[in-house]
Amino acid sequence: MIKNTSTLGESLSDIVRGIMYGFVFLFPLFFLPFTLDLLEINKQTLLLLSVCVATLLFLGSILANKIVPLRLSTLQIFPVLFFISITISAWFSLAPFYSWIGASQTEYMSVLTIGSLCLLTYLLSQIMLKTEHIDRLFCSLLTSSLLVGLLMICSFFKISLFSFFPASSSLMFNSVGTVNTLIIFLIVMCVFAVFYGLRSKNNTSVFLLTLLLCLETFFLLLVVNYFWLWILLLFGFGSVFAAMCMRTKIIFSVSRIFLPVTMSVLAIIFLLGVKSPFSFQIPIEVSPSFAASSDILKKTYAHHSPIFGTGPGTYAIDYAAYHGVGINQTNFWNTRFDRATSFVLTLSTESGMFAAAVFFLFIIAVI
């Protein structure tokens, strides 16, 4: 008779891992066409449900195993500090609901979302214990990224993948955000995929997904042909080359460096002024300039706490109060922007210098 060695705790841990695989696959793609806000509120809801259910099951596995896992690292301190800084800022917020819960496309900065993401990082560090677990998680994310890019490409050619949602064929539609936001997301995924592929031993699925993702991203870069996106691509792959030079022992497949080298060379060619072969009409994205965003930051600090800002999700209030009078002479006199020209300026204005400093320290620690 064969003895069944699986336990309730192990089964619950497997379910938690399954939820995480499903979450990282669905999150970039997820939207609901019948809601007023297609993306933000729906992605926040998916995040909350996934993390809450996974956390309850994880606690159940701890009780079943009668062991409290404490796989901690110094990096895990920074998400907690960032959450604390956002919470303190929300406590003194000008708009408490926006800061604690989020609304009007500012959900990504709310305490609810930041707390869920911090809990997500802890869950992943505790349940993704083996190489095969991380491989499956990463392949799920790469596959989702490929589908997100495919959705954008279909919209360029006015192909609607969802007959019940005609806007899916619009040039303005994708499941991440604006066109530039989508390409930034794909560039970041390409950089992580290339570096992960260099460290992987004979992982054919990761290599194929990375190849397809890089080709798709390069096509979208040609379509948009925006200077700063090419720079971002070069900076990302430059970081990979720097990491290779500093950590040569972790590189298992040097031959795979051919892909980022080729993309980097092509990026330099198009940066030098070579015209893109595509001529799609891309919608113009408008945001406050760097000078205008910096001016709003200075005025906000002059009237409110520079340490904790005006509260997460309150940039629209800051913009309405402190934007330059020159904007009233333009077509955007009646537009209230809900974010600055960059995430760092938005974070610094809303949540103050404390949250911005913790965010920078976290990035430096990761590097």
Side-chain angles (χ1 to χ4, degrees):
M1 181 176 180
I2 300 175
K3 184 179 179 180
N4 186 1
T5 58
S6 64
T7 64
L8 176 60
E10 292 172 348
S11 299
L12 291 175
S13 296
D14 289 338
I15 295 174
V16 174
R17 278 188 281 269
I19 293 174
M20 291 296 98
Y21 298 148
F23 169 75
V24 298
F25 175 78
L26 285 175
F27 191 71
L29 286 166
F30 192 67
F31 72 95
L32 294 177
F34 48 80
T35 56
L36 187 61
D37 185 356
L38 299 179
L39 300 178
E40 289 279 349
I41 187 64
N42 298 318
K43 292 183 185 294
Q44 185 193 49
T45 303
L46 177 65
L47 171 66
L48 291 175
L49 289 177
S50 300
V51 170
C52 287
V53 173
T55 301
L56 290 175
L57 292 174
F58 178 67
L59 293 175
S61 69
I62 291 176
L63 294 175
N65 291 330
K66 298 181 181 179
I67 298 175
V68 180
L70 289 175
R71 303 178 185 90
L72 301 178
S73 68
T74 53
L75 280 179
Q76 293 177 343
I77 297 174
F78 293 98
V80 175
L81 288 176
F82 186 62
F83 174 70
I84 292 173
S85 67
I86 293 294
T87 302
I88 296 175
S89 177
W91 184 264
F92 301 102
S93 174
L94 298 179
F97 184 83
Y98 278 69
S99 297
W100 291 97
I101 308 298
S104 302
Q105 298 184 354
T106 62
E107 289 86 355
Y108 72 102
M109 285 297 298
S110 67
V111 173
L112 190 62
T113 299
I114 298 299
S116 299
L117 291 173
C118 290
L119 190 56
L120 176 65
T121 60
Y122 178 79
L123 280 174
L124 292 175
S125 67
Q126 303 306 307
I127 64 173
M128 299 298 170
L129 307 178
K130 300 179 181 179
T131 302
E132 56 264 30
H133 297 158
I134 301 175
D135 284 345
R136 291 169 190 163
L137 186 75
F138 199 66
C139 285
S140 298
L141 186 56
L142 287 181
T143 304
S144 178
S145 303
L146 270 173
L147 294 176
V148 165
L150 178 62
L151 184 63
M152 185 75 262
I153 292 173
C154 288
S155 71
F156 282 136
F157 291 100
K158 297 183 178 181
I159 301 174
S160 178
L161 299 181
F162 309 99
S163 58
F164 58 88
F165 183 44
S168 63
S169 62
S170 169
L171 283 175
M172 287 295 292
F173 176 76
N174 67 75
S175 60
V176 172
T178 63
V179 176
N180 286 342
T181 302
L182 169 69
I183 297 179
I184 291 172
F185 168 72
L186 293 178
I187 289 173
V188 172
M189 288 308 306
C190 282
V191 172
F192 280 118
V194 166
F195 188 72
Y196 192 80
L198 292 173
R199 299 185 59 182
S200 301
K201 290 184 178 180
N202 301 322
N203 196 325
T204 306
S205 58
V206 170
F207 175 72
L208 290 177
L209 288 171
T210 301
L211 177 61
L212 292 173
L213 182 63
C214 287
L215 292 174
E216 183 180 74
T217 303
F218 188 73
F219 171 78
L220 290 173
L221 281 167
L222 287 177
V223 171
V224 177
N225 200 22
Y226 182 43
F227 175 82
W228 289 110
L229 292 178
W230 290 115
I231 293 294
L232 180 62
L233 180 72
L234 288 173
F235 177 79
F237 285 145
S239 302
V240 174
F241 300 145
M244 286 182 60
C245 295
M246 292 185 292
R247 303 288 298 276
T248 55
K249 292 182 180 180
I250 66 174
I251 305 301
F252 295 117
S253 180
V254 180
S255 60
R256 296 181 183 179
I257 201 67
F258 175 78
L259 180 60
V261 167
T262 302
M263 289 188 65
S264 298
V265 171
L266 291 174
I268 293 173
I269 291 174
F270 284 98
L271 274 175
L272 294 176
V274 176
K275 188 176 180 181
S276 172
F278 303 103
S279 59
F280 291 97
Q281 295 296 321
I282 307 299
I284 298 175
E285 298 176 18
V286 181
S287 65
S289 65
F290 179 82
S293 300
S294 301
D295 185 55
I296 292 172
L297 173 65
K298 295 176 183 177
K299 291 179 180 178
T300 301
Y301 282 179
H303 293 83
H304 302 277
S305 169
I307 304 298
F308 301 117
T310 56
T314 59
Y315 191 85
I317 298 175
D318 300 330
Y319 177 83
Y322 306 119
H323 71 267
V325 294
I327 197 70
N328 296 327
Q329 308 301 320
T330 69
N331 294 331
F332 302 103
W333 64 272
N334 198 31
T335 302
R336 182 177 292 187
F337 292 97
D338 61 359
R339 63 200 69 190
T341 188
S342 70
F343 174 77
V344 173
L345 284 173
T346 303
L347 175 65
S348 301
T349 305
E350 294 181 349
S351 302
M353 292 187 291
F354 181 36
V358 173
F359 179 77
F360 272 115
L361 288 175
F362 183 37
I363 297 300
I364 293 172
V366 170
I367 294 174

